[in-house]
Amino acid sequence: MSLKPLVRATKELREAAVRTAWRQWSAIFTLAADEHRARAIVDPEALVLVSIGLRRHEPRLWRACRAWARVGARLLSVQRTKNLARGFTGDISSGLADFAWIAVAEGNDRRWKALAATEEPSRPKRRERQATPTLASPTALMLRLRLGLGVGIKPDVLTYLVGLAGGRVTIQQITAATLYYGRAVRRAVEELVAAEFIQHWSTAPASYGADLDVWHKLLDISPDDPPAWRPWASSYAFVRAVSEWLEDDPPESATVAASEARDLAALHSGALNAAGIPPMVSGKHPGHSFLVPFQQALMSFAEYMDTVV
């Protein structure tokens, strides 16, 4: 069985991720411009990491990332960046170290020092443009709340709950979405409830939500059509894993590829489920036949990214 269809599907998925990331940069940054604006909430740490992970394929993402390190790194969580980076396969540490060096040396944000490279990263030959963050769009909600409340768990929890359009979720779901440590999330949620920023329901387990009637005027968002929360961290991690899999260490045969594809599908099942892609049952697709539904899943995931951005 030829791997060419799988390679094509992987390329389409990567190109969809590049389009999505660029639209998200255009929603929060004057450096980027795209006629199709993002509608879902931008996850800034996930955006930085995918821009680093795909910089070989799309240099403009890395240019946006470098510029953000100079002027917007203070709006990022160093701890959350490290937490999310663990979900990205392969070596992105060198790119993250370059980002951190720029954040420290040119952005004057010493929080990044522990991650920074020991020497200045190579500069592009072309002159780098000046740019500024733009936080007025509803899609920049997480960054805007961090600007007002400080970088940390509480603004991110609030962003997530607002992005659920009144939906109720548990501590476990909040932890999985924001990717902070569970105990710290619980404490932050309890304090947000005490401050009457969010609501609490005595379900089993307890559930929490944000009242959009309270927040829509302050945040200038529509209570009927708020910006949606999407699991960008897991989505981008899946794209990175698939892209690296076929590019850096291609399988020796279709049988090997199918075995590795099963592992990828299992490891990133959360991202696939969030995209509405049904589980691929290995028993129904023995041997290399698993590559057929996996290829279809990659194409569906690419369409999902283009649709929900």
Side-chain angles (χ1 to χ4, degrees):
M1 181 178 181
S2 173
L3 295 180
K4 289 183 179 179
L6 187 63
V7 173
R8 286 196 298 270
T10 299
K11 183 179 179 180
E12 289 181 18
L13 176 60
R14 185 170 57 235
E15 290 175 349
V18 168
R19 288 192 297 271
T20 297
W22 190 248
R23 291 173 188 173
Q24 290 181 336
W25 279 123
S26 74
I28 64 172
F29 210 17
T30 58
L31 180 74
D34 193 288
E35 60 179 330
H36 302 288
R37 298 302 297 269
R39 300 185 304 276
I41 296 170
V42 174
D43 183 329
E45 285 83 17
L47 181 56
V48 165
L49 290 171
V50 77
S51 298
I52 291 171
L54 297 180
R55 63 177 176 168
R56 285 188 297 174
H57 304 285
E58 187 51 73
R60 64 177 176 166
L61 293 180
W62 178 233
R63 288 198 296 271
C65 211
R66 289 178 60 95
W68 187 266
R70 291 194 295 270
V71 301
R74 64 189 177 88
L75 292 176
L76 300 181
S77 166
V78 178
Q79 183 60 60
R80 187 166 185 267
T81 300
K82 292 192 291 185
N83 293 351
L84 266 62
R86 297 189 188 103
F88 282 70
T89 58
D91 182 19
I92 64 169
S93 59
S94 60
L96 186 55
D98 289 346
F99 176 90
W101 189 97
I102 298 168
V104 173
E106 301 180 31
N108 297 316
D109 188 344
R110 300 196 60 83
R111 296 178 306 137
W112 294 90
K113 186 176 180 180
L115 295 179
T118 55
E119 57 185 43
E120 180 180 3
S122 59
R123 291 182 176 272
K125 295 181 180 179
R126 59 187 296 178
R127 181 180 178 183
E128 294 186 284
R129 292 170 49 194
Q130 298 297 314
T132 56
T134 54
L135 307 184
S137 168
T139 58
L141 180 60
M142 181 177 280
L143 291 166
R144 186 179 170 195
L145 285 174
R146 289 179 179 181
L147 182 64
L149 301 176
V151 176
I153 301 175
K154 291 177 183 178
D156 293 6
V157 168
L158 186 55
T159 299
Y160 173 54
L161 295 179
V162 170
L164 296 180
R168 303 179 186 182
V169 288
T170 64
I171 293 288
Q172 184 177 8
Q173 289 172 302
I174 296 171
T175 301
T178 58
L179 288 172
Y180 290 104
Y181 295 114
R183 187 174 299 177
V185 169
R186 179 176 296 278
R187 183 170 60 250
V189 168
E190 290 172 350
E191 290 175 356
L192 287 170
V193 170
E196 298 185 354
F197 277 34
I198 63 176
Q199 295 174 298
H200 164 257
W201 288 270
S202 298
T203 52
S207 54
Y208 304 86
D211 186 349
L212 293 188
D213 290 335
V214 172
W215 288 102
H216 79 276
K217 290 183 179 180
L218 175 63
L219 300 175
D220 193 26
I221 58 176
S222 170
D224 300 318
D225 187 26
W229 174 274
R230 304 296 184 193
W232 292 119
S234 60
S235 296
Y236 284 144
F238 176 61
V239 173
R240 164 70 178 174
V242 172
S243 180
E244 180 193 47
W245 167 52
L246 285 182
E247 178 177 284
D248 294 342
D249 189 19
E252 298 176 356
S253 66
T255 301
V256 173
S259 177
E260 294 174 349
R262 287 187 181 89
D263 292 340
L264 283 170
L267 182 62
H268 297 275
S269 59
L272 292 167
N273 291 339
I277 298 172
M280 291 164 276
V281 181
S282 297
K284 294 183 179 180
H285 307 283
H288 60 68
S289 67
F290 186 82
L291 293 179
V292 175
F294 189 72
Q295 174 196 339
Q296 294 171 343
L298 297 185
M299 296 175 66
S300 297
F301 203 93
E303 183 178 356
Y304 161 80
M305 296 198 78
D306 274 329
T307 301
V308 303
V309 64

